[in-house]
Structures are given as C-alpha cells and as structure tokens.
Amino acid sequence: MVRSWHGILRRAARLLPTPAGTPFTFGYALVLLATSLYAEFGDPRTVAALLHASSTDVAHLSRTPSAALLASALWVAGGLSSPYALGFVLVLTALERRIGAWRTAGVFAVGHVGATLVTQVPVAVSVVAGHLPETSLHRLDYGISFGLLACVGALAGLLGPVVRGAVLVWVGAMLLRDLVAFEDPLTAWGHVLALLIGVAGWPLARRAAGRAAASG
C-alpha cells in the first residue's frame, strides 16, 4: 500500500513543473504568479495602466511590436482563477518533459505571435478601409491563451490516439462554443488559429520527442 501511494505521488508530481525537469515552465509560471498576484492586489489604476501598455492591439503593434508581444505574454487574463492558469502549468509541463525547454518555448512563442498577428492585421486593414471604427485600433488584448492553445495542439500529437482524440474533441468543443457565442470573435478565432498552429507542428514535435527520448 505504501509503495502504491509513493507511485501515485511520483506520477502526480510529474504533472507539475520543477526547476531541473522543466525549467522553462517553472520559471515562466513564477513570472505569471507574480503578475497575477499584482493584478489582484496592486493599485487598480496602476494595474489598468500596465495592462493597457501590454496590449497587443494594432496601435501598440504598429509602434513597438516586440515590446507589446512580450509584455502581453506576462499576464493571465482572469488571473489565477482562470482555467488558463491551470492549463498552462499542466500542458506546458507535459510538453516540456517530452520535447525540452527550448522547443516548448518555441511552440509557445510561435502560437502567441502567429495568432496575434493573424487576428490583428485584418483589424488594421478594416480600419483603413473604413469598415471598423478607429477605436478598434486600441482594443485591449493580452494574455497567454494563444501560446497555451498552440502548446495544447502540439502536445496532442504526442499522445496516444484515444487520448489525443479526446483532447482535441474537448478543446474543439470549447472553441466552437466561444465562436457560436460571438462575445469576442477576434479572440475566439485566434484560439482556433493557435490550436491549428500547434497541430501543424506535429511532425517537428514528434521528431523532437524522439530525439529527447533517445538522448534521455
């Protein structure tokens, strides 16, 4: 009985990031913990100003694209109570254990940057064409969800067929619900694109996982 409990605890511990085993996820999680706590307990006006400055809206992307993309990924929309917070820890830990820190960081970055640009460029074009008001250039947009969804897509390709199908069906159903609700179509479509970015990287992720397993 004691041995079985030890085995369960060891398997459960592997779900969480560690400094040695998953340094990227562990370090990034600490940053997100700090910013989330500040967003919860810091001065509301200062927090609002920081979030506005971190927004990846068209106005910020046109002036300081690198700074905006980096700063927006330092916050969790909804804070620690958001499902994105738990999803970040579990998904990125699992992915990093399979393909390594640098490759996991790469998947996250490509999803975050790619989905952001693909969703914001049409906004800029629509404003120039007169189809959207100029206020659309200053839409508040920040968070880790695009990078996280790309990592979900990449991780799915490394799972067994049954689990992979279950994950994709579950996540796909949530994304479809958001699209149908039409409450935030820009973000909803960005989530779909981010997931597809991760899925498109399956061949690379599988080769990386194979190399990591061989060297380990």
Side-chain angles (χ1 to χ4, degrees), residues 42-115:
D43 175 64
R45 287 183 297 182
T46 304
V47 170
L50 287 172
L51 292 179
H52 177 74
S54 302
S55 176
T56 48
D57 53 40
V58 175
H60 282 113
L61 287 173
S62 63
R63 293 195 302 265
T64 56
S66 299
L69 288 165
L70 176 62
S72 67
L74 301 179
W75 305 90
V76 180
L80 296 178
S81 61
S82 167
Y84 294 127
L86 178 61
F88 175 90
V89 171
L90 296 180
V91 171
L92 267 74
T93 297
L95 184 61
E96 187 172 350
R97 289 192 185 281
R98 288 166 170 81
I99 68 174
W102 287 108
R103 295 183 183 94
T104 300
V107 172
F108 185 94
V110 171
H112 176 67
V113 174

Side-chain angles (χ1 to χ4, degrees), residues 9 15 21-22 26 30-31 38 40-41 60 62 78 82 97-98 108 119 121 137 149 152 160-161 188-189 193 197 200:
L9 291 175
L15 299 176
T22 54
F26 185 84
L30 290 181
V31 172
Y38 186 76
E40 180 70 23
F41 301 108
H60 282 113
S62 63
S82 167
R97 289 192 185 281
R98 288 166 170 81
F108 185 94
T119 53
V121 169
L137 300 176
L149 263 298
V152 171
W189 277 112
L193 290 169
I197 287 172

Side-chain angles (χ1 to χ4, degrees), residues 11-28:
R11 286 192 292 271
R14 286 186 59 81
L15 299 176
L16 301 175
T18 62
T22 54
F24 171 70
T25 305
F26 185 84
Y28 199 168

Side-chain angles (χ1 to χ4, degrees), residues 181-209:
F182 210 70
E183 294 176 354
D184 189 354
L186 195 66
T187 299
W189 277 112
H191 287 162
V192 173
L193 290 169
L195 181 67
L196 292 177
I197 287 172
V199 171
W202 280 3
L204 294 175
R206 286 167 175 166
R207 284 200 294 271

Side-chain angles (χ1 to χ4, degrees), residues 150-164:
C151 289
V152 171
L155 177 63
L158 304 178
L159 303 175
V162 175
V163 179
R164 180 192 312 141

